[in-house]
Amino acid sequence: MVVTHKKLSSSSVEEISNQQIDILNAVDDAFGGVIVEMKEPMNSNVFDTLLRVSISCWREQGKKGIWLKLPIELANLVEAAVKQGFWYHHAEPTYLMLAYWIPETAHTLPANASHTVGIGAFIMNKKREILVVQENNGRFKGLGLWKLPTGTVDVGEDIVEAAIREVKEETGIKVEFMELLAVRQSHNVSFGKSDLFFVFMLRPLSFDIQKQDSEIAAATWMPFEEYAAQSYMQKNEHFNYIAKICAAKIDNDYTGFCALPATAVSSRRRKSCLYFNNHGGVVVPNTI
Amino acid sequence: MVVTHKKLSSSSVEEISNQQIDILNAVDDAFGGVIVEMKEPMNSNVFDTLLRVSISCWREQGKKGIWLKLPIELANLVEAAVKQGFWYHHAEPTYLMLAYWIPETAHTLPANASHTVGIGAFIMNKKREILVVQENNGRFKGLGLWKLPTGTVDVGEDIVEAAIREVKEETGIKVEFMELLAVRQSHNVSFGKSDLFFVFMLRPLSFDIQKQDSEIAAATWMPFEEYAAQSYMQKNEHFNYIAKICAAKIDNDYTGFCALPATAVSSRRRKSCLYFNNHGGVVVPNTI
């Protein structure tokens, strides 16, 4: 939908509706609202008028929420939407999603993503040595602290896959899933968002370390006791407990969660994965 | 910083720098970058010039990332920033955060929040009846399906507190934490983001149901076997496994994760909570 650049008078609404374009293209959502995804360039005055007419129309139709997706190339349209009462819902590098609520009641639109997600990897070889790294960046830079490989889970990425990927990237070691040992939730981590951190035990499938130079200052196999005895591990309550959990696991005195991939029965057939304690096969006979 | 509205000529850069304002107010971040938080209204042409001068200055200083936080009231400045190469990092209802990377290398700025987080609550009274609801909205509306109370975790909210809050809101029942039974990760749930869903066992502290009318069509205590026998529970793989986990828990044949709140030793002293299997007190003698 390309509209030529021209200055619109106050009679423009009628003018436009007498042309081909009545209101903005929209599709219904499943909750009584509409979704507008702008794609083509548009003059902001033209957009302002079209949006005003469109909202009136959707109000008459009894619509509730309006989603307005503006690609970053159409940043010139943001101000007009905000002036008409839209607020920012979320943004990704390539677009901004704005929202508007027509009814008088409080809106029931779903919240934006609230958490970043990270992983830590506990990997032991047959000599009771564990894979540890020192980082080039971040809060542990230059402290000489040996720590478990960690990393960030991408959108759409399984937490286990993220752990396997991060270990490979940072150390060159191939690993496979054994168990989810623990989960930690923290708050106010990045931009006020909360964070969920999953600690996995992974089985090494290779042993020759090829460290990544950009993020990792050093990587080695280290006796578990030496790792756990670092003074920082004693001072940090959660590092300390995670080391105790790993120690219990080494002694066969700990059961974490297994992973069971499944496809939820829904119209979208999303892939998902369930983590739970399957000790003794009490829930399901065979799990990975 | 208020700058009066005027049309700037190409000599405006010098003009401005001869006034009090040299570059935009910025504070250094911990990663060699700067953070600009705009607060006062500004004409977009003035902002455009100031931003251009500021970027040149930060480039000379060897700065890396630039964070630009624009409150929604300053939506008039978005277009100018985008035209100078900023991209959208994230947005919340009241502001838009844009980012810019000065070095020639790929940027190393942290990712935006990637996951929504939800909870499910398994609550049983002494008659082996569990607390179940039917919902007014969403995919289970009108299906007659009795399900565990569920809800969304807010930013900054502990997952356990979210479970306690949601049960109280939906059913009026007061509960306390017993155990984290299972975790599920799903993808492409809201706006392409992933979702983490935590299933808790909670102990009821009250028993008279006061259901919330807006979200809940019906709420009741129901024999567990009746809940688990619903045909939908058999068809949905994960619902089925979660019911099996709950059944095992009822038979004292299942150990989930306990919750251990702690304060991480860091400059920010963030509150956090660690979830792990403390069966037999193997990791820590006393946990909630």
Side-chain angles (χ1 to χ4, degrees):
Chain A
M1 189 198 303
V2 183
V3 179
T4 54
H5 183 142
K6 59 173 181 176
K7 189 76 184 170
L8 288 173
S9 68
S10 59
S11 65
S12 301
V13 174
E14 201 181 331
E15 212 172 286
I16 285 175
S17 61
N18 288 340
Q19 294 169 8
Q20 290 169 310
I21 303 156
D22 290 317
I23 62 167
L24 293 165
N25 282 329
V27 294
D28 290 343
D29 69 16
F31 302 92
V34 295
I35 304 164
V36 178
E37 189 170 348
M38 297 294 294
K39 288 177 178 166
E40 302 298 332
M42 187 180 286
N43 170 271
S44 60
N45 292 320
V46 174
F47 175 72
D48 185 63
T49 306
L50 274 172
L51 186 59
R52 204 173 300 277
V53 176
S54 302
I55 292 173
S56 296
C57 176
W58 294 321
R59 178 172 281 119
E60 277 182 31
Q61 293 172 1
K63 296 297 183 192
K64 295 179 180 172
I66 305 172
W67 296 103
L68 174 63
K69 185 173 181 178
L70 295 180
I72 193 163
E73 295 78 14
L74 305 190
N76 63 313
L77 307 183
V78 174
E79 187 182 3
V82 169
K83 280 190 174 162
Q84 290 194 36
F86 278 78
W87 69 88
Y88 301 148
H89 185 272
H90 68 275
E92 294 297 321
T94 59
Y95 75 89
L96 175 62
M97 181 72 86
L98 298 104
Y100 185 96
W101 187 248
I102 295 177
E104 296 296 315
T105 54
H107 85 76
T108 58
L109 301 175
N112 185 5
S114 55
H115 285 64
T116 51
V117 181
I119 56 86
F122 177 64
I123 302 155
M124 194 171 68
N125 65 21
K126 291 190 175 164
K127 293 185 274 183
R128 283 176 66 101
E129 293 167 334
I130 66 166
L131 184 62
V132 289
V133 298
Q134 292 188 356
E135 291 178 352
N136 269 333
N137 298 299
R139 56 191 274 227
F140 301 118
K141 178 184 176 180
L143 295 182
L145 177 73
W146 290 103
K147 57 187 284 298
L148 303 182
T150 56
T152 304
V153 179
D154 296 331
V155 172
E157 186 179 38
D158 284 343
I159 49 178
V160 171
E161 285 171 11
I164 293 170
R165 173 183 57 74
E166 286 283 354
V167 172
K168 184 73 168 60
E169 282 176 9
E170 293 190 356
T171 70
I173 301 293
K174 288 183 194 170
V175 292
E176 66 179 8
F177 174 78
M178 288 180 71
E179 213 168 77
L180 171 61
L181 297 180
V183 185
R184 185 186 64 192
Q185 188 189 26
S186 309
H187 299 298
N188 199 18
V189 177
S190 285
F191 309 106
K193 297 282 177 163
S194 301
D195 181 76
L196 283 159
F197 183 75
F198 292 81
V199 183
F200 288 103
M201 183 166 198
L202 302 157
R203 183 181 294 114
L205 302 175
S206 71
F207 301 90
D208 289 338
I209 292 172
Q210 301 281 336
K211 90 170 177 68
Q212 182 191 54
D213 292 332
S214 62
E215 290 179 30
I216 303 299
T220 191
W221 293 99
M222 171 180 279
F224 176 75
E225 289 69 21
E226 196 177 319
Y227 161 78
Q230 296 177 97
S231 66
Y232 189 88
M233 305 295 294
Q234 309 297 320
K235 284 189 292 193
N236 183 300
E237 208 174 349
H238 275 173
F239 273 51
N240 193 358
Y241 284 123
I242 290 171
K244 282 184 179 167
I245 290 164
C246 294
K249 187 70 208 171
I250 291 172
D251 296 335
N252 284 321
D253 210 9
Y254 189 88
T255 308
F257 286 174
C258 71
L260 183 71
T263 303
V265 177
S266 81
S267 55
R268 282 179 282 183
R269 295 238 162 231
R270 329 186 262 257
K271 192 181 144 223
S272 57
C273 192
L274 187 68
Y275 299 86
F276 59 93
N277 184 348
N278 198 40
H279 189 60
V282 65
V283 178
V284 51
N286 296 306
T287 55
I288 62 166
Chain B
M1 187 197 306
V2 181
V3 179
T4 53
H5 183 141
K6 60 175 182 175
K7 189 74 186 170
L8 290 173
S9 68
S10 59
S11 65
S12 304
V13 173
E14 202 180 332
E15 210 172 287
I16 286 176
S17 61
N18 288 339
Q19 295 168 10
Q20 291 170 310
I21 303 156
D22 290 318
I23 61 167
L24 293 166
N25 282 328
V27 295
D28 288 344
D29 69 16
F31 302 91
V34 294
I35 304 165
V36 179
E37 190 170 347
M38 297 296 294
K39 287 177 179 165
E40 302 298 332
M42 187 179 285
N43 170 272
S44 61
N45 291 322
V46 175
F47 175 73
D48 185 63
T49 306
L50 275 170
L51 186 60
R52 204 173 301 276
V53 176
S54 303
I55 293 174
S56 295
C57 178
W58 295 321
R59 178 173 281 120
E60 278 182 30
Q61 292 172 2
K63 298 296 183 193
K64 293 178 181 173
I66 305 171
W67 296 103
L68 174 63
K69 186 174 179 177
L70 294 180
I72 193 162
E73 295 78 15
L74 304 190
N76 64 313
L77 307 183
V78 175
E79 187 182 3
V82 169
K83 280 190 175 161
Q84 290 195 37
F86 279 79
W87 69 89
Y88 301 147
H89 185 270
H90 68 276
E92 293 298 322
T94 60
Y95 75 89
L96 174 63
M97 182 71 87
L98 298 104
Y100 185 96
W101 187 248
I102 295 177
E104 296 295 314
T105 55
H107 84 79
T108 59
L109 301 175
N112 185 6
S114 56
H115 284 66
T116 51
V117 181
I119 56 86
F122 177 64
I123 302 155
M124 194 171 69
N125 65 18
K126 291 190 176 168
K127 290 186 275 183
R128 285 175 66 101
E129 292 167 334
I130 67 167
L131 184 62
V132 289
V133 299
Q134 291 188 354
E135 291 178 352
N136 269 334
N137 299 299
R139 57 191 272 230
F140 300 117
K141 178 184 176 181
L143 295 181
L145 177 73
W146 290 102
K147 56 188 282 298
L148 303 182
T150 57
T152 303
V153 179
D154 296 332
V155 172
E157 186 178 37
D158 284 343
I159 49 178
V160 171
E161 285 171 11
I164 293 170
R165 173 183 57 74
E166 285 283 355
V167 172
K168 184 74 168 61
E169 283 176 9
E170 292 190 355
T171 68
I173 301 294
K174 289 182 193 170
V175 291
E176 66 179 11
F177 174 77
M178 290 179 71
E179 213 168 77
L180 171 61
L181 297 180
V183 185
R184 185 187 64 192
Q185 187 189 28
S186 309
H187 299 299
N188 200 19
V189 176
S190 285
F191 308 108
K193 297 281 177 165
S194 300
D195 181 76
L196 282 159
F197 182 76
F198 292 81
V199 183
F200 289 104
M201 184 167 199
L202 301 157
R203 183 181 294 112
L205 302 174
S206 71
F207 301 90
D208 288 337
I209 292 171
Q210 301 280 335
K211 90 168 178 69
Q212 181 192 55
D213 291 332
S214 63
E215 290 179 29
I216 303 300
T220 191
W221 292 100
M222 171 180 281
F224 177 75
E225 289 70 19
E226 196 176 319
Y227 161 77
Q230 296 177 96
S231 65
Y232 189 88
M233 305 295 292
Q234 309 299 320
K235 283 189 291 191
N236 184 302
E237 209 174 348
H238 276 173
F239 273 51
N240 193 359
Y241 284 123
I242 290 170
K244 282 182 179 168
I245 290 165
C246 295
K249 187 70 208 170
I250 292 173
D251 295 336
N252 285 321
D253 209 11
Y254 189 88
T255 307
F257 285 175
C258 72
L260 184 73
T263 303
V265 177
S266 83
S267 55
R268 282 178 280 183
R269 295 238 163 232
R270 330 186 261 258
K271 192 179 145 225
S272 58
C273 191
L274 187 67
Y275 299 85
F276 57 94
N277 184 346
N278 198 40
H279 188 60
V282 66
V283 178
V284 52
N286 296 306
T287 55
I288 62 168

